[in-house]
Amino acid sequence: MQKVVQDFLNVDDSRLYYEIAGDGEPVIFLHGGFVDSRMWDEQFDLFASRYRVIRYDQRRYGQSEGSSRPYARHQDLYELMRHLQIKNAHLVGHSGGGALALDFALVYPQMVSTLVLYASGVEGYDWSHMTESYEAPVNIHLEKGELKQAAEVMLRTWIDGPNRRPEDVNFQVRKRVQSLIIDLFKRSDDWQPERPLDPPTIERLHEINVPTPVLVGAEDGIDLLKISDLLVSQIAGSQKIVMPSVAHMMNMEVADVFNQAVMKFIEGHSEAKEI
């Protein structure tokens, strides 16, 4: 096991918690929108055996602080990379972390070696009623202080997916994600709006010009499947990889398969730029 450095970085009015381990080309893992950097437990040590691996909690997630005013997540990533003296990196982004990676690649293209977009969102996408319908029951449960019930709605929507039953999903994976979601629900700090790019990212995908695999679970929600097709159609040289029998958390459900695919891709594009 590699030595892990744990620290905080002051950024604007917040503090970001991060971990770093290993040597070699930098690989930065960006977590999704209802979990935190612990979602990458199955990847962190493995990739640190070959690369300089970084994971961090975005504002208001995990051990990082919230914000008192609007902010830009891609600017936080820039400040972290600058602090760690990283000129460019391979970015692996899940869900909302994929949307963050896309924003960063547009604003700081010279700092991105490759993108791995996994169950990725994208700023400016018009989410369907099917996807948004989970928000009302979640909020009802949260107003009653029913954190476990609210988390279960999230699990049914995202982890199980529209076509699977809870018993079809690995129990330990479901339990771990439930814990991450409940930890987020326990946060009392207010959400602050993020400053989106203008024009929105979805209108600028054609500007991205780095090797980009787009991974998506075959059992994920319809919007994520549509976004994966959109990304592949707009990002030159990108390729779509569909993981069968999994939904939104393939890096946890089929960690070995996910790790092999991502590792093989990064190895094939290593030393593409001066580090």
Side-chain angles (χ1 to χ4, degrees):
M1 181 177 294
Q2 298 289 322
K3 178 183 178 181
V4 179
V5 175
Q6 302 171 312
D7 205 350
F8 288 86
L9 172 66
N10 293 321
V11 177
D12 194 17
D13 64 335
S14 181
R15 285 205 316 162
L16 302 180
Y17 171 79
Y18 69 89
E19 297 180 357
I20 184 168
D23 296 302
E25 295 186 36
V27 178
I28 303 178
F29 287 93
L30 306 169
H31 67 77
F34 52 84
V35 288
D36 58 49
S37 62
R38 290 173 291 174
M39 71 165 283
W40 300 114
D41 283 352
E42 284 84 355
Q43 286 72 50
F44 192 75
D45 288 338
L46 174 65
F47 280 78
S49 67
R50 303 189 188 186
Y51 300 100
R52 185 185 183 196
V53 176
I54 300 95
R55 62 177 173 177
Y56 73 100
D57 293 329
Q58 297 164 38
R59 296 197 198 199
R60 199 183 181 271
Y61 291 86
Q63 299 185 59
S64 291
E65 296 178 351
S67 179
S68 62
R69 52 182 178 267
Y71 64 99
R73 291 189 302 160
H74 65 268
Q75 194 63 32
D76 286 351
L77 176 55
Y78 169 79
E79 295 297 340
L80 179 61
M81 290 179 67
R82 188 174 71 166
H83 171 71
L84 297 174
Q85 298 182 339
I86 296 174
K87 294 181 180 179
N88 46 64
H90 303 278
L91 303 183
V92 182
H94 167 249
S95 195
L100 161 59
L102 288 166
D103 287 359
F104 188 85
L106 288 171
V107 178
Y108 299 105
Q110 74 282 2
M111 299 181 72
V112 180
S113 300
T114 64
L115 291 175
V116 177
L117 302 175
Y118 147 42
S120 183
V122 59
E123 183 66 38
Y125 179 78
D126 187 13
W127 294 90
S128 71
H129 173 73
M130 181 181 297
T131 297
E132 293 179 340
S133 62
Y134 75 90
E135 294 180 352
V138 166
N139 289 333
I140 290 173
H141 285 304
L142 290 179
E143 289 171 1
K144 297 179 180 179
E146 300 170 344
L147 303 188
K148 189 173 182 179
Q149 292 88 332
E152 180 62 24
V153 176
M154 298 288 288
L155 291 168
R156 293 298 303 272
T157 303
W158 295 104
I159 310 310
D160 304 344
N163 302 313
R164 297 194 299 173
R165 302 167 299 174
E167 55 266 32
D168 296 329
V169 182
N170 180 285
F171 174 77
Q172 291 300 325
V173 169
R174 232 176 167 271
K175 185 177 179 180
R176 282 180 55 203
V177 178
Q178 178 193 59
S179 177
L180 296 177
I181 294 172
I182 289 176
D183 283 350
L184 176 62
F185 286 161
K186 288 178 179 178
R187 299 287 297 251
S188 60
D189 40 350
D190 293 332
W191 286 108
Q192 293 297 326
E194 299 169 20
R195 298 196 302 269
L197 300 185
D198 186 17
T201 308
I202 198 168
E203 297 179 11
R204 300 178 56 189
L205 294 173
H206 62 278
E207 298 177 26
I208 296 175
N209 188 30
V210 294
T212 307
V214 178
L215 289 73
V216 66
E219 302 299 330
D220 213 336
I222 185 64
D223 283 318
L224 280 301
L225 297 173
K226 288 182 176 179
I227 289 174
S228 67
D229 288 334
L230 173 67
L231 296 174
V232 172
S233 71
Q234 293 294 311
I235 300 175
S238 59
Q239 56 178 324
K240 182 177 178 179
I241 302 173
V242 180
M243 297 281 189
S245 305
V246 293
H248 205 56
M249 302 299 294
M250 70 180 77
N251 75 299
M252 298 171 72
E253 282 199 70
V254 289
D256 290 344
V257 177
F258 177 88
N259 293 343
Q260 183 179 19
V262 176
M263 185 75 77
K264 181 179 179 180
F265 169 77
I266 293 178
E267 286 179 347
H269 296 83
S270 62
E271 299 181 358
K273 293 183 178 182
E274 180 184 354
I275 305 299

